């Protein structure tokens, strides 16, 4: 038995490293792309940073939709890949693409025709609204590309082709940095257009990623980015996708909208709070990179194993994934705390003294907040979803964010009128409130299921 466990352990860590490392690199690059906007806008001013920080909340909401669709894709495709059924993977991809394209078009049209209304949701500051409107109009192009990219890359990751996704992210990173530099610093006699230039860079990067996906598809021997898959009809898989994926999608949208509401609350507390939070978000994104990588890799690995019907092995692997997560959350939190002096030095010439004070305390709060995020992310969005258990996360986040955290934030900010940092601290208690129910669900093993079917054609 001891030898068997050692072999399983060797296999587990070998497989997790192959999956997690490329995903972590992707997450680092994605975080770097997001942070590059804030870093470069430092040379434009605090208003530009604040406006872009608020305007990108819509991209975050849309990304939550695509992340939910991608998670649904991963749930089904990882298990069907473990089973060896590539035809089912093509059908699931087509179903997800239909939802993604509808969402992309809806957000793009809103960004083109009602950008001012979109900005007024987050702030009443006319200067921020003016800057944000131009940003949102140009970023609409990226909305049209995001859905296709995220769904296809989710399919590739679910069959273990994470390295090729990483290569694509590397290219996107350099394209984004290059175009940002051109329009912010006026290189090659280009106009210095600040926030508008950042939006153009983001849209150009997404277009490049879409072209990259098409090239990967042309050279792929297994999973193609085929338009015809969008029109394939399969009632059994469609019902499974809706049953398993839509709760995950709504879960991520609820979570994304909840965080956007946090931004609404902070946005009405003043420009200093918004500017400080924009730097904090960048730091937190880097701090949570490892836990999101473990969640992504764990979903794929557990999904493949559950698709092979190896439930006992999946149980063992889930315990190891949780242990890795706890360590990753602690490391991420310590990284954020250790980075405080460097972040403050970088931001001090851009932010006001009040914003700098907010920044220091917010970063300290995130030092422990990341641990709560790590555990919940890996269990809810990783372990549970690998076995098709997506409804629990939806119910959990609706109660936690919309019954607890958002009302608490609104009451503390606008009724009790508590200090900014007290409001922020209260908002950052949401992840720990979920822990008792999340751990109870994990121990129940209701997520430990093979969700593939035999009668789908």
């Amino acid at each position: 038995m001891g030898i068997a466990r050692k072999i399983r352990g060797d296999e587990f860590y070998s497989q997790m490293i192959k999956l997690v490392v490329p995903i972590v690199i992707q997450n680092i690059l994605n975080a770097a792309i997001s942070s590059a906007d804030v870093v470069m806008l430092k040379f434009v001013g605090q208003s530009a940073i604040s406006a872009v920080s608020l305007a990108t909340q819509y991209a975050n909401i849309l990304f939550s939709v695509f992340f939910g669709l991608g998670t649904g894709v991963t749930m089904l495709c990882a298990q069907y890949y473990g089973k060896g059924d590539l035809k089912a993977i093509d059908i699931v991809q087509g179903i997800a693409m239909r939802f993604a394209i509808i969402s992309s078009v809806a957000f793009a049209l809103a960004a083109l025709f009602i950008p001012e209304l979109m900005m007024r949701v987050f702030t009443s500051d006319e200067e921020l609204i003016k800057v944000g409107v131009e940003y949102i109009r140009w970023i609409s192009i990226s909305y049209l590309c995001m859905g296709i990219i995220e769904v296809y890359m989710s399919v590739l990751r679910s069959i273990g082709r994470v390295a090729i996704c990483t290569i694509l992210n590397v290219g996107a990173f350099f394209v984004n940095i290059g175009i940002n530099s051109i329009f912010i610093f006026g290189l090659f006699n280009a106009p210095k257009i600040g926030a508008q230039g950042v939006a153009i860079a983001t849209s150009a990067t997404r277009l490049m990623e879409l072209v990259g996906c098409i090239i990967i598809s042309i050279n792929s021997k297994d999973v193609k980015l085929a338009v015809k898959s969008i029109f394939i009809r399969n009632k059994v898989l469609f019902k499974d996708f809706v049953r398993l994926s839509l709760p995950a999608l709504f879960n991520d949208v609820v979570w994304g909208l909840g965080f956007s509401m946090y931004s609404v609350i902070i946005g009405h507390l003043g420009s200093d709070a918004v500017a400080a939070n924009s730097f904090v978000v960048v730091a937190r994104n880097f701090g949570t990179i490892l836990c999101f990588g473990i969640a992504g890799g764990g979903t794929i690995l557990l999904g493949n194993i559950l698709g092979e019907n190896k439930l006992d092995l999946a149980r063992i692997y889930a315990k190891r994934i949780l242990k890795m997560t706890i360590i990753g959350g602690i490391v991420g939190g310590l990284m954020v705390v250790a980075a405080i002096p460097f972040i403050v030095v970088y931001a001090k010439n851009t932010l006001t003294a009040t914003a700098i004070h907010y920044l220091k305390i917010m970063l300290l709060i995130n030092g422990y907040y990341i641990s709560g995020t790590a555990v919940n992310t890996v269990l809810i969005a990783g372990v549970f979803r690998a076995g098709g258990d997506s409804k629990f996360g939806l119910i959990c986040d609706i109660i936690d964010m919309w019954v607890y955290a958002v009302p608490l934030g609104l009451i503390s900010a606008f009724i009790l009128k508590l200090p900014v940092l007290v409001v922020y601290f209260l908002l950052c208690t949401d992840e720990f409130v979920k822990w008792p129910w999340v751990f109870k669900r994990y121990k129940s093993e209701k997520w430990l299921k093979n969700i593939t079917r035999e009668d789908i054609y």
Side-chain angles (χ1 to χ4, degrees), residues 72-311:
V73 166
T74 302
M75 278 193 289
L76 286 164
C77 291
Q79 289 213 17
Y80 276 109
Y81 186 69
K83 188 179 180 181
D85 190 342
L86 294 179
K87 184 178 179 181
I89 292 174
D90 284 336
I91 295 172
V92 170
Q93 178 187 198
I95 294 168
M97 283 292 183
R98 293 201 290 272
F99 284 103
I101 290 171
I102 291 170
S103 302
S104 294
V105 171
F107 268 74
L109 290 175
L112 283 172
F113 295 109
I114 54 170
E116 184 174 340
L117 179 61
M118 293 169 74
M119 281 300 299
R120 289 192 182 279
V121 171
F122 291 104
T123 183
S124 56
D125 188 309
E126 292 299 328
E127 184 180 359
L128 298 187
I129 290 171
K130 182 180 178 181
V131 175
V133 163
E134 288 303 313
Y135 177 88
I136 288 177
R137 282 202 178 107
W138 278 100
I139 207 72
S140 64
I141 299 170
S142 74
Y143 294 166
L144 294 171
C145 305
M146 285 172 64
I148 298 172
I149 295 167
E150 294 303 325
V151 169
Y152 185 58
M153 291 183 73
S154 294
V155 173
L156 291 175
R157 284 191 288 265
S158 71
I159 64 173
R161 296 190 65 191
V162 290
I164 192 68
C165 299
T166 303
I167 293 170
L168 190 58
N169 282 122
V170 170
F173 172 74
F174 286 108
V175 169
N176 184 268
I177 294 296
I179 300 177
N180 264 340
S181 300
I182 290 171
F183 288 116
I184 288 177
F185 302 118
L187 303 180
F188 310 112
N189 295 319
K192 295 181 180 180
I193 49 179
Q196 186 178 337
V198 169
I200 293 172
T202 301
S203 291
T205 300
R206 289 296 183 182
L207 284 169
M208 186 279 292
E209 286 182 295
L210 181 57
V211 172
C213 286
I214 294 170
I215 294 171
I216 292 168
S217 172
I218 292 171
N219 292 281
S220 176
K221 295 180 180 179
D222 35 44
V223 178
K224 299 283 188 179
L225 181 58
V227 176
K228 64 180 182 181
S229 68
I230 298 174
F231 303 100
I232 298 175
R233 297 288 185 268
N234 186 292
K235 291 183 179 179
V236 175
L237 282 176
F238 183 81
K239 288 180 180 179
D240 280 350
F241 185 85
V242 171
R243 177 175 58 87
L244 298 171
S245 301
L246 290 192
L249 186 154
F250 289 135
N251 184 185
D252 291 320
V253 171
V254 163
W255 189 81
L257 286 172
F259 260 94
S260 293
M261 275 303 298
Y262 296 175
S263 295
V264 170
I265 294 167
I266 294 170
H268 286 84
L269 294 177
S271 179
D272 287 328
V274 174
N277 188 53
S278 65
F279 279 89
V280 172
V281 168
V282 171
R284 184 171 62 227
N285 286 344
F286 278 103
T288 55
I289 280 170
L290 183 57
C291 74
F292 277 100
I294 295 171
T299 303
I300 296 166
L301 180 57
L302 289 177
N304 290 162
I305 293 171
L306 289 169
E308 295 174 17
N309 215 34
K310 297 178 180 178
L311 303 187

Side-chain angles (χ1 to χ4, degrees), residues 16-39:
M16 281 295 286
I17 287 171
K18 289 179 182 177
L19 291 170
V20 171
V21 170
I23 292 174
V24 166
I25 293 172
Q26 289 174 47
N27 290 342
I28 290 173
L29 292 170
N30 286 333
I33 290 172
S34 299
S35 63
D37 294 347
V38 175
V39 170

Side-chain angles (χ1 to χ4, degrees), residues 431-446:
E431 294 289 350
F432 297 98
V433 170
K434 291 190 284 189
W435 270 19
W437 291 273
V438 172
F439 279 109
K440 183 179 179 180
R441 187 69 172 188
Y442 168 72
K443 292 178 180 178
S444 75
E445 296 189 347
K446 292 181 179 180

